[in-house]
Amino acid sequence: MTLGILAWMQNSSNPSGGSFGPLSLYVNAYLTQVREQGYAVGSVYEQLCVLKLFGRRLERSGRQVQDLTEVVTGDFLRRLKHRYPWQAARSTLRRLLAMLRGMGVTPEAPAACRSPSDQVIDAYEHFLLRERHLSQGAVVWHLRFVGRFLSEQFGGDSLNLSKLRAPDVTAFVQRRAHQHGPAEARCLVAAIRSFLRYLHYKGLIHRDLSLAVPKVARWSFSTVPKHLPPDQVREVLRHCDRNTALGRRDYAILLLLARLGLRAGEVVSLNLEDMDWENARITVCGKGGRWAQLPLPADVARAIAYYLRHDRPRCTCRRLFIRDYAPIGGFNRAAAIASIVKRALARAGVVSSRKGAHLMRHSLATDMLRRGASLDEIGEVLRHKSPDTTAIYAKVDFNALKALALPWPGGVR
């Protein structure tokens, strides 16, 4: 079956066949691209079926490759809806357009007419990424709440930021905060406060309305950081299936989380150039764009080296860790690392109320504290900007807290 599909692809991608209409000259290039990106044979078969149908549609309508736009592909998708191979059509045509534009065959898409609100949000996004050095995940959260804020304040009317008043800001936060849990409500407050400061900084509003954003109650040291004891961390690592390429990749990632306390986003952004094998160091880009060099433990180095030598797919991407599905490349989001931790906990049978990548970071800090490390040393390893952030781990040092406890006056009766 597989050999038959490959033969069909080779024959169908022959330009002399003419079965792809105006696309015939570019099918070989497309086929080479999707093969390099790691798509399975069945998926490539579906994509070529889409191109054949689309090419014939172009031929009947008299259009050339130079005429391709999102409008043309959108019209084709509407006609193809719910017919084979409709499910693969949208991504295939998006990939085709990107390739043709990269080759200079098809003109770039015209700039969309952005509303005033969209333009402000775009500029704010650029500010967060380029000047504040926030991660892409954090920026997505900010823009989500800012978009709602502008939509509720101005709706479809023209954007007039000078009309914003403190009661408008307070009312929005009070109305929206009750719709979320405590953690998400704090994200909402932080996003709106940051946006209003940005508007004042850029001179788009005359008063700093961030002062009108109410606070969400958060009691310091109200909970103990969720963590795993060392034996459970070892169980999680031991249950990685190191007989498979995917298991060895996940094992290397889990070691970075458990031994170095890296954040999920830091693992995602690691590049091949960040490994300094001669000096046994790894360079990490942390919060706020702060770079740090960390010593590379021997077991972590061995796991990463084996993955790079035997398991990492061949591709042009410079990310250290590569997805196991097409298109081959680095992880897009920190949530992918959290999913790896969640699956690892399930395999090991470890029950935890917290299942994200930060669980391993908290576990490392807690274990260091119990071994006698100071809070300053823990903060240095975890690369905390403020000592107040590290102070949360003081709550798990139960022995020290017991030593500080004074006996009950008169003894226990």
Side-chain angles (χ1 to χ4, degrees):
M1 180 64 178
T2 303
L3 291 176
I5 292 175
L6 288 174
W8 182 91
M9 288 191 297
Q10 291 169 354
N11 292 333
S12 298
S13 59
N14 185 352
S16 63
S19 59
F20 290 86
L23 298 178
S24 296
L25 292 174
Y26 308 99
V27 173
N28 275 330
Y30 182 89
L31 185 57
T32 300
Q33 174 180 288
V34 294
R35 281 174 173 170
E36 290 176 350
Q37 291 175 342
Y39 284 94
V41 171
S43 175
V44 176
Y45 176 90
E46 287 189 341
Q47 294 179 50
L48 288 175
C49 285
V50 173
L51 295 184
K52 182 173 285 189
L53 292 173
F54 185 54
R56 290 174 177 174
R57 173 68 183 171
L58 291 176
E59 193 169 34
R60 287 195 299 269
S61 63
R63 286 193 173 97
Q64 299 300 315
V65 176
Q66 293 81 1
D67 303 326
L68 293 187
T69 64
E70 281 77 8
V71 175
V72 176
T73 58
D75 179 65
F76 172 76
L77 291 171
R78 283 189 294 272
R79 293 173 180 271
L80 186 67
K81 193 170 184 180
H82 302 310
R83 293 170 50 201
Y84 180 83
W86 177 66
Q87 290 184 330
R90 187 175 300 276
S91 59
T92 299
L93 295 182
R94 183 171 59 245
R95 200 174 297 117
L96 173 70
L97 268 178
M99 184 196 78
L100 293 174
R101 284 169 176 161
M103 296 170 65
V105 177
T106 302
E108 292 293 331
C113 183
R114 306 285 285 171
S115 69
S117 292
D118 290 336
Q119 293 177 24
V120 170
I121 291 176
D122 289 345
Y124 177 58
E125 178 182 13
H126 185 271
F127 170 77
L128 293 178
L129 290 171
R130 303 304 178 192
E131 298 190 38
R132 292 286 311 283
H133 300 287
L134 266 63
S135 68
Q136 188 65 52
V139 171
V140 169
W141 276 96
H142 276 66
L143 300 186
R144 172 187 173 190
F145 293 121
V146 167
R148 290 179 182 175
F149 174 68
L150 292 179
S151 177
E152 288 195 17
Q153 297 303 315
F154 301 102
D157 301 334
S158 60
L159 186 68
N160 190 350
L161 295 171
S162 62
K163 289 185 177 180
L164 282 177
R165 296 292 182 267
D168 301 329
V169 175
T170 305
F172 171 81
V173 173
Q174 290 176 338
R175 184 168 59 253
R176 283 290 185 176
H178 292 294
Q179 300 174 3
H180 305 288
E184 198 166 345
R186 286 193 290 271
C187 291
L188 163 67
V189 167
I192 300 303
R193 187 177 291 123
S194 168
F195 179 62
L196 293 172
R197 286 173 179 166
Y198 164 79
L199 294 179
H200 185 250
Y201 165 68
K202 290 294 184 179
L204 299 175
I205 56 177
H206 299 299
R207 294 183 179 180
D208 184 4
L209 296 179
S210 66
L211 302 175
V213 178
K215 295 182 179 180
V216 175
R218 182 179 185 178
W219 290 272
S220 299
F221 308 117
S222 59
T223 59
V224 176
K226 302 297 187 297
H227 62 277
L228 299 178
D231 58 333
Q232 289 190 341
V233 174
R234 287 192 291 270
E235 280 297 298
V236 171
L237 294 171
R238 188 173 68 84
H239 277 80
C240 285
D241 186 2
R242 295 165 67 185
N243 294 317
T244 66
L246 181 61
R248 289 188 290 268
R249 183 205 67 182
D250 291 352
Y251 178 70
I253 290 174
L254 290 169
L255 276 178
L256 281 171
L257 299 174
R259 299 282 190 265
L260 298 180
L262 297 192
R263 302 176 180 92
E266 293 168 347
V267 174
V268 169
S269 62
L270 285 173
N271 291 321
L272 295 172
E273 296 81 9
D274 296 329
M275 304 296 300
D276 183 358
W277 298 105
E278 292 184 359
N279 299 305
R281 288 184 172 275
I282 184 171
T283 302
V284 177
C285 181
K287 281 188 173 181
R290 295 190 299 273
W291 294 87
Q293 279 197 330
L294 306 177
L296 196 62
D299 57 344
V300 181
R302 283 194 299 270
I304 296 176
Y306 192 94
Y307 166 72
L308 294 178
R309 186 174 296 122
H310 301 286
D311 303 319
R312 187 179 184 274
R314 292 180 178 273
C315 60
T316 58
C317 180
R318 302 301 296 172
R319 292 297 189 196
L320 182 62
F321 295 107
I322 301 298
R323 295 189 302 259
D324 62 323
Y325 55 89
I328 297 299
F331 294 107
N332 291 326
R333 300 181 301 162
I337 307 300
S339 297
I340 290 174
V341 175
K342 185 176 181 179
R343 292 195 297 268
L345 292 172
R347 284 194 303 268
V350 173
V351 179
S352 172
S353 59
R354 185 163 190 165
K355 297 179 175 62
H358 242 61
L359 176 66
M360 310 301 282
R361 184 175 170 89
H362 288 323
S363 300
L364 172 64
T366 304
D367 186 45
M368 289 180 62
L369 189 64
R370 287 176 172 167
R371 289 173 178 268
S374 67
L375 292 179
D376 288 339
E377 291 171 330
I378 295 173
E380 185 176 352
V381 170
L382 299 185
R383 292 159 289 117
H384 286 157
K385 185 177 180 181
S386 169
D388 294 339
T389 308
T390 316
I392 190 174
Y393 296 108
K395 296 181 292 181
V396 300
D397 193 359
F398 298 114
N399 293 330
L401 293 176
K402 289 178 181 178
L404 291 174
L406 298 175
W408 190 265
V412 178
R413 296 188 180 183

